[in-house]
């Protein structure tokens, strides 16, 4: 199964972007799907993760209230709506998936995911 991320670009502070991630298989095959990001010189960090078992979607504190993740299982798509973008949101964004379950405390650990998209660049600058 491959993931294909798209939708990145250059946007002014306060602007919006919607990222998309296409699954070559079915999103429902995965227990956990989500988005990570990596800024230059920094480690990859979790942005938003959805866990199928309990239907929960969690967000990093830095994006709560601004980012919304959604999924369309019928189309095998995952989305990340990003509003009120800030310069600190500048990063390469990756979609990720994992078939086996994870405990809540491990959901933002990038090392736990074995399926990744290729990344899409988001640059927030005036």
């Amino acid at each position: 199964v491959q993931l294909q991320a798209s939708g990145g670009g250059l946007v002014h502070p306060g602007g919006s972007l919607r990222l998309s991630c296409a699954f070559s298989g079915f999103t429902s095959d995965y227990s956990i799907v989500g988005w990570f990001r990596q800024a230059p010189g920094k480690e990859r960090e979790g942005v938003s993760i959805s866990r199928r078992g309990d239907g929960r979607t969690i967000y990093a504190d830095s994006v709560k209230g601004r980012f919304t993740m959604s999924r369309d299982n019928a189309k095998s798509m995952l989305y990340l709506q990003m509003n009120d973008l800030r310069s600190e949101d500048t990063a390469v964004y990756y979609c990720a998936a994992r078939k086996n379950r994870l405990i809540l405390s491990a959901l933002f650990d990038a090392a736990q995911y074995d399926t990744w998209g290729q990344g899409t660049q988001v640059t927030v600058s005036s």
Side-chain angles (χ1 to χ4, degrees):
V1 175
Q2 293 182 334
L3 309 182
Q4 184 77 24
S6 62
L10 173 64
V11 63
H12 293 308
S16 298
L17 281 174
R18 189 176 83 151
L19 305 183
S20 299
C21 180
F23 283 61
S24 62
F26 298 101
T27 55
S28 56
D29 287 345
Y30 292 86
S31 293
I32 304 168
V33 295
W35 292 91
F36 286 76
R37 67 185 181 186
Q38 188 165 20
K42 294 188 177 181
E43 293 187 355
R44 193 168 296 190
E45 63 174 358
V47 175
S48 179
I49 302 294
S50 175
R51 193 164 66 172
R52 186 181 66 196
D54 56 10
R56 291 184 64 173
T57 299
I58 62 172
Y59 297 89
D61 287 343
S62 58
V63 306
K64 280 181 182 176
R66 300 187 298 122
F67 290 12
T68 303
M69 187 172 72
S70 61
R71 59 198 293 178
D72 186 334
N73 288 334
K75 296 182 178 179
S76 295
M77 294 293 293
L78 186 69
Y79 304 100
L80 185 68
Q81 178 66 42
M82 305 186 295
N83 298 328
D84 188 24
L85 283 161
R86 305 167 182 170
S87 58
E88 54 263 39
D89 296 319
T90 295
V92 177
Y93 283 71
Y94 300 89
C95 50
R98 175 186 164 97
K99 288 195 173 182
N100 297 325
R101 293 178 291 180
L102 274 177
I103 58 175
L104 187 62
S105 61
L107 289 178
F108 279 160
D109 181 359
Q112 301 296 329
Y113 294 78
D114 52 12
T115 304
W116 291 89
Q118 84 287 5
T120 184
Q121 177 71 47
V122 172
T123 302
V124 184
S125 175
S126 56

